[in-house]
Short mmCIF file of all heavy atoms in Angstrom, two decimals:
data_model
loop_
_atom_site.label_atom_id
_atom_site.label_comp_id
_atom_site.label_asym_id
_atom_site.label_seq_id
_atom_site.Cartn_x
_atom_site.Cartn_y
_atom_site.Cartn_z
N TYR A 24 74.38 11.45 -48.94
CA TYR A 24 73.63 10.74 -47.91
C TYR A 24 74.24 9.37 -47.58
O TYR A 24 73.80 8.70 -46.66
CB TYR A 24 72.18 10.53 -48.36
CG TYR A 24 71.36 11.80 -48.35
CD1 TYR A 24 71.17 12.53 -49.52
CD2 TYR A 24 70.80 12.28 -47.18
CE1 TYR A 24 70.42 13.70 -49.53
CE2 TYR A 24 70.06 13.46 -47.16
CZ TYR A 24 69.87 14.16 -48.34
OH TYR A 24 69.14 15.33 -48.33
N LEU A 25 75.24 8.96 -48.34
CA LEU A 25 75.81 7.64 -48.16
C LEU A 25 76.97 7.66 -47.17
O LEU A 25 77.68 8.65 -47.04
CB LEU A 25 76.30 7.10 -49.51
CG LEU A 25 75.28 7.01 -50.63
CD1 LEU A 25 75.91 6.40 -51.87
CD2 LEU A 25 74.05 6.23 -50.20
N ASP A 26 77.16 6.52 -46.50
CA ASP A 26 78.31 6.36 -45.62
C ASP A 26 79.51 5.94 -46.46
O ASP A 26 79.39 5.66 -47.65
CB ASP A 26 78.00 5.32 -44.55
CG ASP A 26 78.92 5.44 -43.33
OD1 ASP A 26 79.81 6.30 -43.35
OD2 ASP A 26 78.74 4.66 -42.38
N PHE A 27 80.68 5.89 -45.81
CA PHE A 27 81.91 5.64 -46.56
C PHE A 27 81.90 4.27 -47.24
O PHE A 27 82.43 4.10 -48.34
CB PHE A 27 83.13 5.77 -45.63
CG PHE A 27 83.31 4.64 -44.67
CD1 PHE A 27 84.16 3.59 -44.95
CD2 PHE A 27 82.63 4.63 -43.46
CE1 PHE A 27 84.34 2.55 -44.06
CE2 PHE A 27 82.80 3.59 -42.56
CZ PHE A 27 83.65 2.55 -42.86
N ARG A 28 81.25 3.28 -46.62
CA ARG A 28 81.21 1.95 -47.23
C ARG A 28 80.42 1.99 -48.53
O ARG A 28 80.82 1.39 -49.55
CB ARG A 28 80.58 0.95 -46.26
CG ARG A 28 81.38 0.70 -44.99
CD ARG A 28 80.69 -0.30 -44.09
NE ARG A 28 81.40 -0.51 -42.85
CZ ARG A 28 81.28 0.25 -41.77
NH1 ARG A 28 80.44 1.29 -41.79
NH2 ARG A 28 81.97 -0.01 -40.68
N ASP A 29 79.28 2.68 -48.53
CA ASP A 29 78.44 2.77 -49.72
C ASP A 29 79.14 3.60 -50.80
O ASP A 29 78.99 3.31 -52.00
CB ASP A 29 77.09 3.39 -49.38
CG ASP A 29 76.32 2.54 -48.39
OD1 ASP A 29 76.34 1.30 -48.54
OD2 ASP A 29 75.71 3.10 -47.46
N LEU A 30 79.88 4.62 -50.40
CA LEU A 30 80.63 5.40 -51.40
C LEU A 30 81.66 4.52 -52.10
O LEU A 30 81.85 4.62 -53.33
CB LEU A 30 81.33 6.58 -50.73
CG LEU A 30 80.44 7.77 -50.33
CD1 LEU A 30 81.25 8.81 -49.55
CD2 LEU A 30 79.82 8.42 -51.57
N MET A 31 82.33 3.68 -51.32
CA MET A 31 83.31 2.79 -51.93
C MET A 31 82.63 1.79 -52.86
O MET A 31 83.15 1.48 -53.94
CB MET A 31 84.09 2.05 -50.85
CG MET A 31 84.97 2.95 -49.99
SD MET A 31 86.11 3.96 -50.97
CE MET A 31 87.12 2.68 -51.73
N HIS A 32 81.48 1.29 -52.49
CA HIS A 32 80.75 0.37 -53.36
C HIS A 32 80.34 1.06 -54.65
O HIS A 32 80.41 0.46 -55.74
CB HIS A 32 79.52 -0.18 -52.64
CG HIS A 32 79.84 -1.09 -51.50
ND1 HIS A 32 78.97 -1.29 -50.44
CD2 HIS A 32 80.93 -1.84 -51.24
CE1 HIS A 32 79.53 -2.13 -49.58
NE2 HIS A 32 80.73 -2.48 -50.05
N CYS A 33 79.91 2.30 -54.53
CA CYS A 33 79.51 3.05 -55.74
C CYS A 33 80.67 3.23 -56.71
O CYS A 33 80.47 3.30 -57.93
CB CYS A 33 78.94 4.42 -55.35
SG CYS A 33 77.29 4.36 -54.65
N SER A 34 81.87 3.32 -56.17
CA SER A 34 83.03 3.57 -57.04
C SER A 34 83.29 2.40 -57.99
O SER A 34 84.01 2.56 -58.98
CB SER A 34 84.28 3.83 -56.19
OG SER A 34 84.69 2.66 -55.51
N PHE A 35 82.70 1.23 -57.71
CA PHE A 35 82.89 0.06 -58.58
C PHE A 35 81.76 -0.10 -59.59
O PHE A 35 81.82 -1.01 -60.43
CB PHE A 35 82.98 -1.21 -57.73
CG PHE A 35 84.20 -1.28 -56.86
CD1 PHE A 35 84.12 -1.02 -55.50
CD2 PHE A 35 85.45 -1.58 -57.39
CE1 PHE A 35 85.24 -1.07 -54.69
CE2 PHE A 35 86.58 -1.64 -56.60
CZ PHE A 35 86.48 -1.37 -55.23
N VAL A 36 80.75 0.76 -59.53
CA VAL A 36 79.60 0.60 -60.41
C VAL A 36 79.91 1.05 -61.83
O VAL A 36 79.61 0.37 -62.81
CB VAL A 36 78.39 1.38 -59.85
CG1 VAL A 36 77.23 1.38 -60.84
CG2 VAL A 36 77.95 0.78 -58.53
N SER A 37 80.50 2.22 -61.96
CA SER A 37 80.80 2.77 -63.28
C SER A 37 81.93 3.78 -63.18
O SER A 37 82.28 4.23 -62.09
CB SER A 37 79.55 3.44 -63.88
OG SER A 37 79.24 4.63 -63.16
N ARG A 38 82.48 4.15 -64.34
CA ARG A 38 83.54 5.14 -64.37
C ARG A 38 83.04 6.47 -63.83
O ARG A 38 83.75 7.16 -63.09
CB ARG A 38 84.07 5.30 -65.79
CG ARG A 38 85.28 6.22 -65.90
CD ARG A 38 85.70 6.39 -67.35
NE ARG A 38 86.04 5.11 -67.95
CZ ARG A 38 87.24 4.53 -67.88
NH1 ARG A 38 88.21 5.14 -67.22
NH2 ARG A 38 87.46 3.38 -68.47
N ARG A 39 81.81 6.82 -64.18
CA ARG A 39 81.25 8.11 -63.74
C ARG A 39 81.11 8.16 -62.22
O ARG A 39 81.52 9.10 -61.55
CB ARG A 39 79.88 8.33 -64.40
CG ARG A 39 79.19 9.65 -63.97
CD ARG A 39 79.70 10.79 -64.81
NE ARG A 39 79.24 12.08 -64.30
CZ ARG A 39 78.00 12.57 -64.46
NH1 ARG A 39 77.09 11.85 -65.10
NH2 ARG A 39 77.70 13.76 -64.00
N LEU A 40 80.54 7.11 -61.63
CA LEU A 40 80.37 7.08 -60.18
C LEU A 40 81.71 6.96 -59.46
O LEU A 40 81.88 7.45 -58.35
CB LEU A 40 79.46 5.92 -59.77
CG LEU A 40 77.95 6.15 -59.98
CD1 LEU A 40 77.16 4.94 -59.50
CD2 LEU A 40 77.48 7.40 -59.25
N ASN A 41 82.68 6.31 -60.11
CA ASN A 41 84.00 6.22 -59.53
C ASN A 41 84.61 7.60 -59.36
O ASN A 41 85.22 7.91 -58.33
CB ASN A 41 84.90 5.35 -60.41
CG ASN A 41 86.29 5.18 -59.82
OD1 ASN A 41 87.15 6.03 -60.00
ND2 ASN A 41 86.48 4.08 -59.12
N GLU A 42 84.43 8.45 -60.36
CA GLU A 42 84.95 9.82 -60.29
C GLU A 42 84.20 10.65 -59.25
O GLU A 42 84.81 11.35 -58.43
CB GLU A 42 84.86 10.49 -61.66
CG GLU A 42 85.74 9.84 -62.72
CD GLU A 42 85.48 10.41 -64.11
OE1 GLU A 42 84.50 11.22 -64.24
OE2 GLU A 42 86.21 10.05 -65.05
N LEU A 43 82.86 10.52 -59.26
CA LEU A 43 82.07 11.34 -58.34
C LEU A 43 82.24 10.90 -56.89
O LEU A 43 82.18 11.73 -55.97
CB LEU A 43 80.59 11.27 -58.73
CG LEU A 43 80.20 11.94 -60.05
CD1 LEU A 43 78.72 11.74 -60.35
CD2 LEU A 43 80.53 13.43 -60.01
N SER A 44 82.41 9.61 -56.65
CA SER A 44 82.51 9.12 -55.27
C SER A 44 83.79 9.56 -54.58
O SER A 44 83.92 9.40 -53.37
CB SER A 44 82.40 7.59 -55.24
OG SER A 44 83.49 7.01 -55.93
N LYS A 45 84.75 10.11 -55.34
CA LYS A 45 85.97 10.63 -54.75
C LYS A 45 85.93 12.15 -54.61
O LYS A 45 86.95 12.77 -54.32
CB LYS A 45 87.18 10.22 -55.60
CG LYS A 45 87.41 8.72 -55.62
CD LYS A 45 88.58 8.34 -56.50
CE LYS A 45 88.76 6.82 -56.54
NZ LYS A 45 89.85 6.41 -57.46
N HIS A 46 84.75 12.71 -54.80
CA HIS A 46 84.58 14.17 -54.69
C HIS A 46 85.00 14.62 -53.28
O HIS A 46 84.52 14.08 -52.27
CB HIS A 46 83.13 14.52 -54.96
CG HIS A 46 82.87 15.99 -55.10
ND1 HIS A 46 83.51 16.78 -56.03
CD2 HIS A 46 82.03 16.81 -54.42
CE1 HIS A 46 83.08 18.03 -55.92
NE2 HIS A 46 82.18 18.07 -54.96
N ASN A 47 85.88 15.59 -53.20
CA ASN A 47 86.50 15.97 -51.92
C ASN A 47 85.50 16.33 -50.82
O ASN A 47 85.65 15.87 -49.68
CB ASN A 47 87.47 17.13 -52.17
CG ASN A 47 88.75 16.96 -51.37
OD1 ASN A 47 89.13 15.85 -51.02
ND2 ASN A 47 89.43 18.05 -51.10
N PRO A 48 84.46 17.15 -51.09
CA PRO A 48 83.52 17.49 -50.01
C PRO A 48 82.82 16.28 -49.41
O PRO A 48 82.47 16.28 -48.23
CB PRO A 48 82.52 18.43 -50.70
CG PRO A 48 83.30 19.05 -51.81
CD PRO A 48 84.21 17.96 -52.31
N LEU A 49 82.61 15.21 -50.21
CA LEU A 49 81.99 14.00 -49.67
C LEU A 49 82.86 13.39 -48.58
O LEU A 49 82.38 12.96 -47.53
CB LEU A 49 81.77 12.97 -50.78
CG LEU A 49 80.78 13.33 -51.89
CD1 LEU A 49 80.75 12.24 -52.95
CD2 LEU A 49 79.38 13.54 -51.32
N TRP A 50 84.17 13.38 -48.79
CA TRP A 50 85.07 12.76 -47.84
C TRP A 50 85.42 13.69 -46.69
O TRP A 50 85.84 13.23 -45.62
CB TRP A 50 86.32 12.27 -48.57
CG TRP A 50 85.95 11.10 -49.42
CD1 TRP A 50 85.70 11.11 -50.76
CD2 TRP A 50 85.72 9.78 -48.98
NE1 TRP A 50 85.32 9.86 -51.20
CE2 TRP A 50 85.33 9.02 -50.13
CE3 TRP A 50 85.78 9.13 -47.76
CZ2 TRP A 50 85.01 7.66 -50.05
CZ3 TRP A 50 85.48 7.77 -47.69
CH2 TRP A 50 85.10 7.06 -48.82
N LYS A 51 85.21 14.97 -46.89
CA LYS A 51 85.36 15.89 -45.76
C LYS A 51 84.34 15.56 -44.68
O LYS A 51 84.66 15.49 -43.49
CB LYS A 51 85.21 17.34 -46.21
CG LYS A 51 85.27 18.33 -45.05
CD LYS A 51 85.10 19.77 -45.51
CE LYS A 51 85.14 20.71 -44.30
NZ LYS A 51 85.02 22.14 -44.72
N SER A 52 83.09 15.34 -45.11
CA SER A 52 82.05 15.01 -44.12
C SER A 52 82.34 13.68 -43.46
O SER A 52 82.08 13.49 -42.25
CB SER A 52 80.66 14.99 -44.79
OG SER A 52 80.59 13.95 -45.75
N GLN A 53 82.89 12.70 -44.21
CA GLN A 53 83.24 11.41 -43.61
C GLN A 53 84.38 11.55 -42.60
O GLN A 53 84.37 10.92 -41.54
CB GLN A 53 83.64 10.42 -44.71
CG GLN A 53 82.55 10.11 -45.71
CD GLN A 53 81.35 9.41 -45.08
OE1 GLN A 53 81.50 8.62 -44.15
NE2 GLN A 53 80.16 9.71 -45.58
N CYS A 54 85.36 12.38 -42.93
CA CYS A 54 86.48 12.61 -42.01
C CYS A 54 86.02 13.31 -40.73
O CYS A 54 86.48 13.00 -39.63
CB CYS A 54 87.56 13.45 -42.69
SG CYS A 54 88.55 12.54 -43.90
N CYS A 55 85.11 14.26 -40.88
CA CYS A 55 84.59 14.97 -39.71
C CYS A 55 83.75 14.03 -38.84
O CYS A 55 83.82 14.08 -37.61
CB CYS A 55 83.76 16.17 -40.14
SG CYS A 55 84.70 17.46 -40.98
N LYS A 56 82.96 13.19 -39.49
CA LYS A 56 82.05 12.29 -38.76
C LYS A 56 82.80 11.20 -38.02
O LYS A 56 82.55 10.96 -36.83
CB LYS A 56 81.06 11.68 -39.74
CG LYS A 56 80.14 10.63 -39.12
CD LYS A 56 79.22 10.02 -40.18
CE LYS A 56 78.35 8.92 -39.59
NZ LYS A 56 77.48 8.29 -40.63
N HIS A 57 83.71 10.53 -38.70
CA HIS A 57 84.34 9.32 -38.12
C HIS A 57 85.65 9.61 -37.40
O HIS A 57 86.00 8.89 -36.45
CB HIS A 57 84.57 8.29 -39.21
CG HIS A 57 83.32 7.74 -39.80
ND1 HIS A 57 82.45 6.94 -39.10
CD2 HIS A 57 82.76 7.90 -41.04
CE1 HIS A 57 81.42 6.60 -39.87
NE2 HIS A 57 81.59 7.17 -41.05
N TRP A 58 86.40 10.64 -37.83
CA TRP A 58 87.72 10.89 -37.24
C TRP A 58 87.81 12.25 -36.56
O TRP A 58 88.86 12.61 -36.02
CB TRP A 58 88.81 10.79 -38.32
CG TRP A 58 88.74 9.55 -39.15
CD1 TRP A 58 88.66 9.49 -40.51
CD2 TRP A 58 88.75 8.19 -38.71
NE1 TRP A 58 88.61 8.19 -40.95
CE2 TRP A 58 88.67 7.36 -39.85
CE3 TRP A 58 88.82 7.58 -37.46
CZ2 TRP A 58 88.65 5.97 -39.77
CZ3 TRP A 58 88.80 6.20 -37.38
CH2 TRP A 58 88.72 5.42 -38.52
N LEU A 59 86.72 13.03 -36.60
CA LEU A 59 86.66 14.35 -35.97
C LEU A 59 87.78 15.28 -36.47
O LEU A 59 88.33 16.08 -35.71
CB LEU A 59 86.74 14.23 -34.44
CG LEU A 59 85.71 13.33 -33.75
CD1 LEU A 59 85.85 13.43 -32.24
CD2 LEU A 59 84.29 13.65 -34.18
N LEU A 60 88.10 15.17 -37.76
CA LEU A 60 89.16 15.99 -38.34
C LEU A 60 88.63 17.35 -38.76
O LEU A 60 87.45 17.52 -39.07
CB LEU A 60 89.76 15.27 -39.55
CG LEU A 60 90.44 13.93 -39.23
CD1 LEU A 60 90.88 13.24 -40.52
CD2 LEU A 60 91.61 14.12 -38.29
N THR A 61 89.51 18.34 -38.78
CA THR A 61 89.15 19.72 -39.13
C THR A 61 89.91 20.16 -40.38
O THR A 61 90.80 19.43 -40.88
CB THR A 61 89.50 20.67 -37.98
OG1 THR A 61 90.93 20.67 -37.79
CG2 THR A 61 88.83 20.22 -36.68
N ASP A 62 89.58 21.35 -40.87
CA ASP A 62 90.30 21.89 -42.03
C ASP A 62 91.78 22.05 -41.73
O ASP A 62 92.62 21.84 -42.62
CB ASP A 62 89.69 23.25 -42.43
CG ASP A 62 88.33 23.10 -43.07
OD1 ASP A 62 88.15 22.17 -43.88
OD2 ASP A 62 87.43 23.91 -42.75
N ASP A 63 92.12 22.42 -40.52
CA ASP A 63 93.52 22.56 -40.14
C ASP A 63 94.25 21.22 -40.23
O ASP A 63 95.41 21.16 -40.65
CB ASP A 63 93.65 23.13 -38.73
CG ASP A 63 93.25 24.59 -38.65
OD1 ASP A 63 93.26 25.26 -39.71
OD2 ASP A 63 92.92 25.06 -37.54
N ASP A 64 93.56 20.15 -39.82
CA ASP A 64 94.18 18.82 -39.92
C ASP A 64 94.47 18.46 -41.37
O ASP A 64 95.54 17.91 -41.68
CB ASP A 64 93.25 17.76 -39.31
CG ASP A 64 93.06 17.94 -37.82
OD1 ASP A 64 94.03 18.29 -37.13
OD2 ASP A 64 91.92 17.73 -37.35
N ARG A 65 93.54 18.78 -42.26
CA ARG A 65 93.77 18.45 -43.68
C ARG A 65 94.90 19.28 -44.26
O ARG A 65 95.76 18.77 -45.00
CB ARG A 65 92.49 18.65 -44.49
CG ARG A 65 92.58 18.03 -45.89
CD ARG A 65 91.59 18.64 -46.84
NE ARG A 65 91.88 20.03 -47.10
CZ ARG A 65 92.81 20.46 -47.95
NH1 ARG A 65 93.59 19.59 -48.59
NH2 ARG A 65 92.99 21.74 -48.15
N LEU A 66 94.90 20.59 -43.94
CA LEU A 66 95.97 21.45 -44.46
C LEU A 66 97.34 20.98 -43.98
O LEU A 66 98.32 20.98 -44.72
CB LEU A 66 95.72 22.89 -44.04
CG LEU A 66 94.53 23.60 -44.73
CD1 LEU A 66 94.28 24.96 -44.10
CD2 LEU A 66 94.79 23.75 -46.22
N GLN A 67 97.38 20.57 -42.72
CA GLN A 67 98.64 20.10 -42.17
C GLN A 67 99.09 18.80 -42.82
O GLN A 67 100.30 18.55 -43.00
CB GLN A 67 98.51 19.91 -40.66
CG GLN A 67 99.82 19.62 -39.95
CD GLN A 67 99.65 19.58 -38.44
OE1 GLN A 67 98.55 19.78 -37.92
NE2 GLN A 67 100.73 19.34 -37.73
N SER A 68 98.14 17.96 -43.22
CA SER A 68 98.49 16.69 -43.86
C SER A 68 98.98 16.87 -45.28
O SER A 68 99.77 16.07 -45.78
CB SER A 68 97.27 15.75 -43.85
OG SER A 68 96.30 16.21 -44.78
N GLY A 69 98.46 17.91 -45.97
CA GLY A 69 98.88 18.17 -47.34
C GLY A 69 98.28 17.24 -48.37
O GLY A 69 98.75 17.18 -49.51
#
Side-chain angles (χ1 to χ4, degrees):
Y24 288 98
L25 303 183
D26 200 357
F27 73 96
R28 295 180 183 84
D29 298 319
L30 284 174
M31 294 305 297
H32 292 155
C33 285
S34 69
F35 293 103
V36 172
S37 69
R38 186 183 301 274
R39 178 84 189 284
L40 282 181
N41 182 276
E42 295 172 353
L43 292 178
S44 63
K45 295 178 182 177
H46 190 57
N47 221 25
L49 295 176
W50 290 99
K51 176 181 179 178
S52 65
Q53 298 296 326
C54 285
C55 295
K56 175 183 177 182
H57 294 291
W58 310 125
L59 305 185
L60 298 174
T61 64
D62 288 319
D63 289 340
D64 295 321
R65 193 201 66 79
L66 289 173
Q67 188 174 0
S68 71

